[in-house]
Amino acid sequence: MILVTGATGTIGSALVGELLARGEEVTALTRDPAKIEPRPGLTVTTEIRKARAAFLLAPAGPAIPGIDRAFLRQAIEAGVERVVKLSAIATPDAGLNTWHAPGEEAIRDSGRPWTILRPTTFASNTLAWRDDIRAGRPIPNISGAGRQGVVDPRDVAAVAAEALTTAGHDGQVYTLTGPELLGVPEQAAQLAEVLGTTITTVDVPPAREHFPPEIADMALAGALLVRAGGNAIVTADVEKVLGRRPGSYRAWAADCFRAG
Ligand SMILES: NC(=O)c1ccc[n+]([C@@H]2O[C@H](COP(=O)([O-])OP(=O)(O)OC[C@H]3O[C@@H](n4cnc5c(N)ncnc54)[C@H](OP(=O)(O)O)[C@@H]3O)[C@@H](O)[C@H]2O)c1
């Protein structure tokens, strides 16, 4: 059995589908079991359980270190044999996104086989543009000319499924990106083509006030790094694990972006 935490979220829900499609028995962890539709092969739980392998995902924010440590402690107590942690790019090497650094360290010290996944910015983050697109407003662009290797969250889930179910991933840190560097104006142009509409962007230099107070320091530092070109990174890790090119932003938008 494979345990998936964060199972109702972007990556976790895609991962549950990927594992079930491979014929795996899956236990999905959620604080609210009513959120998950019953499916053959799927068990829903509110507690960490013994598993052949567990996918550990903490929701973004300053609570990540505490949730990571609690999940890992409970997983080891329950007898989980292998762990795959969803982290984030540039963690902790660039001294940024230190929310994930304690969890990465705890996984490395856990005595269990581990794999760490460090994705870059998700294609699905652009779903936050829906209200502006519907209202015909320009998309605020805090990244300026900064470009990133936007990754399809379905590829992150597919890599997680490989790391959870196949050999050869112990002690590996995979930095997961899409196939090309894109800035916000380029993403907006591709999305506009896919949707058959016009989407404009407006440059907005990042400031603390753009972010909720509890994440403002980290979010501002990250935004400034991206804006300065510091996250202009494309890797071959998705292809290395999946044996195929990563999906493009355009393909994700065509399959998954719903304006409604
Ligand atoms: N977005 C990006 O561009 C990006 C890039 C790199 C890395 N990341 C990392 O990706 C992770 C987020 O992944 P995601 O976007 O798939 O998540 P998401 O869609 O925001 O979903 C979060 C999940 O966490 C669960 N959750 C919420 N609060 C919780 C709590 N207090 N304790 C335990 N579980 C809780 C939720 O489950 P229930 O509500 O059902 O319990 C939900 O399934 C973060 O760690 C972030 O740093 C994101």
Side-chain angles (χ1 to χ4, degrees), residues 1-191:
M1 184 273 278
I2 310 290
L3 176 73
V4 177
T5 72
T8 59
T10 305
I11 303 298
S13 59
L15 175 58
V16 168
E18 182 84 31
L19 291 168
L20 290 174
R22 292 165 179 238
E24 297 287 346
E25 290 287 318
V26 178
T27 297
L29 186 121
T30 174
R31 293 163 303 163
D32 178 5
K35 282 194 207 165
I36 300 183
E37 291 286 317
R39 292 163 75 177
L42 179 63
T43 303
V44 179
T45 182
T46 57
E47 288 178 354
I48 301 272
R49 294 192 187 165
K50 180 175 169 57
R52 195 170 98 233
F55 179 69
L56 301 185
L57 181 153
I64 286 177
I67 293 172
D68 272 351
R69 285 200 193 93
F71 274 172
L72 187 62
R73 192 189 63 248
Q74 291 161 25
I76 288 170
E77 281 169 11
V80 166
E81 292 166 29
R82 137 191 326 271
V83 286
V84 174
K85 170 178 160 54
L86 188 80
S87 180
I89 197 164
T91 306
D93 307 344
L96 265 181
N97 207 348
T98 47
W99 290 329
H100 281 291
E104 286 198 3
E105 197 182 331
I107 295 268
R108 290 172 197 268
D109 293 344
S110 67
R112 297 289 184 283
W114 57 265
T115 308
I116 292 171
L117 309 183
R118 294 179 174 176
T120 191
T121 187
F122 300 166
S124 49
N125 292 347
T126 58
L127 289 168
W129 296 354
R130 280 181 296 195
D131 285 351
D132 286 333
I133 292 170
R134 265 197 302 270
R137 290 188 297 261
I139 307 297
N141 172 21
I142 61 171
S143 306
R147 300 165 93 203
Q148 305 185 80
V150 183
V151 69
D152 184 330
R154 297 173 297 181
D155 283 346
V156 178
V159 169
E162 283 294 319
L164 289 160
T165 60
T166 66
H169 307 289
D170 292 355
Q172 296 295 315
V173 179
Y174 295 125
T175 297
L176 305 177
T177 75
E180 61 184 335
L181 293 176
L182 293 173
V184 166
E186 291 160 303
Q187 279 186 283
Q190 292 191 7
L191 184 57

Side-chain angles (χ1 to χ4, degrees), residues 89 175-178 233-239 246:
I89 197 164
T175 297
L176 305 177
T177 75
I233 296 166
V234 167
T235 73
D237 285 0
V238 168
E239 185 162 4

